[in-house]
Amino acid sequence: MVPPVEGFGDDAASDRLMAAGGPDAITLRAIAREMGMTANAIYGYFATRDDLVTTLINELYTALADAVDAAWAEAPAAHPADRIQAWARAFRGWALANPEGFRLIYGDPVPGYQAPEGGAAPDAAHRVCTGIAALADAAWPHTGRLHARSDFQWSDFDAGLLGKVRPAFPELPPAGVALALHIWGHLHGLVSLEIYGHLRTQTVNPDKLFREELTQLVRSLGVEPEE
């Protein structure tokens, strides 16, 4: 049985600790203190701090995967631009609602933390990875001609990545995998800048900047949003 530390909502002990002290603040004793428990009590649920961090990362990553999967499923399959934008907006929306969680998944390493073999959240990571590939796959019928001279080969990519992408999208060529990484770079890069506060002195309207980025992205893919 796991104590009620699930999620990184406004009232979560882990969230308060991360916000106050970053990854260094995540300790079993600190979590126990925030939750009004004794250290011995929480050790009954988690043998080590690594077990606790793994649980937190898994819950966060799963919540993110749920958010982007739901946005993708709700957008019309016949409208690839809308599906791509829906996925991207859900990714940014989740990150803005859970900035400390985003940092724990994608940014700040927890000092001394050793993830289990296969990663802290293999299922969620697989879902997000294939979700990104789905963006490229949806655009490929429209944009593939623009990559006709691409010289990407399967050997250019990590075997672990290909093990996730190729079974899910067997028709996507190596250039399509490169396109997925290109899309990911656009979306993750801009969201990361926002989460880490690097846009604060550059723009007073990061939402407008992100919307314009999405518009230009789908246009570069040869697809247009439905009116």
Side-chain angles (χ1 to χ4, degrees):
M1 179 181 177
V2 178
V5 297
E6 293 90 343
F8 266 53
D10 291 340
D11 297 324
S14 49
D15 196 24
R16 294 194 297 272
L17 291 168
M18 277 283 289
D24 284 328
I26 301 178
T27 69
L28 286 174
R29 288 185 179 277
I31 290 285
R33 183 173 60 251
E34 285 286 317
M35 296 175 63
M37 301 172 64
T38 66
N40 287 340
I42 203 166
Y43 272 104
Y45 295 104
F46 301 102
T48 67
R49 186 193 66 150
D50 281 1
D51 291 339
L52 170 62
V53 174
T54 295
T55 297
L56 294 174
I57 293 174
N58 184 62
E59 290 173 353
L60 285 162
Y61 220 153
T62 298
L64 171 58
D66 288 346
V68 293
D69 283 353
W72 176 263
E74 291 170 6
H79 302 158
D82 291 350
R83 296 194 96 185
I84 292 167
Q85 291 188 329
W87 195 99
R89 286 193 296 267
F91 177 76
R92 176 175 178 259
W94 187 91
L96 293 178
N98 301 273
E100 304 303 336
F102 180 90
R103 291 172 58 195
L104 186 61
I105 296 173
Y106 290 119
D108 303 340
V110 179
Y113 170 66
Q114 294 293 320
E117 185 176 355
D123 178 67
H126 185 279
R127 290 166 58 195
V128 173
C129 178
T130 55
I132 297 163
L135 307 183
D137 185 68
W140 193 252
H142 306 272
T143 197
R145 60 183 176 77
L146 302 177
H147 302 267
R149 297 185 180 181
S150 168
D151 63 354
F152 280 106
Q153 306 295 323
W154 293 122
S155 58
D156 292 322
F157 304 100
D158 175 73
L161 172 64
L162 296 181
K164 298 181 181 74
V165 173
R166 295 190 71 181
F169 305 100
E171 301 300 318
L172 198 64
V177 177
L179 179 63
L181 295 178
H182 172 76
I183 294 171
W184 179 231
H186 273 267
L187 301 181
H188 186 273
L190 196 55
V191 170
S192 294
L193 287 174
E194 187 171 4
I195 292 299
Y196 280 89
H198 299 306
L199 293 181
R200 290 173 186 164
T201 58
Q202 281 74 41
T203 177
V204 297
N205 196 339
D207 182 66
K208 185 175 182 179
L209 184 67
F210 189 78
R211 283 187 279 112
E212 177 65 15
E213 175 67 16
L214 285 186
T215 298
Q216 296 304 324
L217 174 61
V218 296
R219 286 177 178 167
S220 74
L221 297 173
V223 294
E224 288 283 351
E226 292 297 311
E227 295 296 336

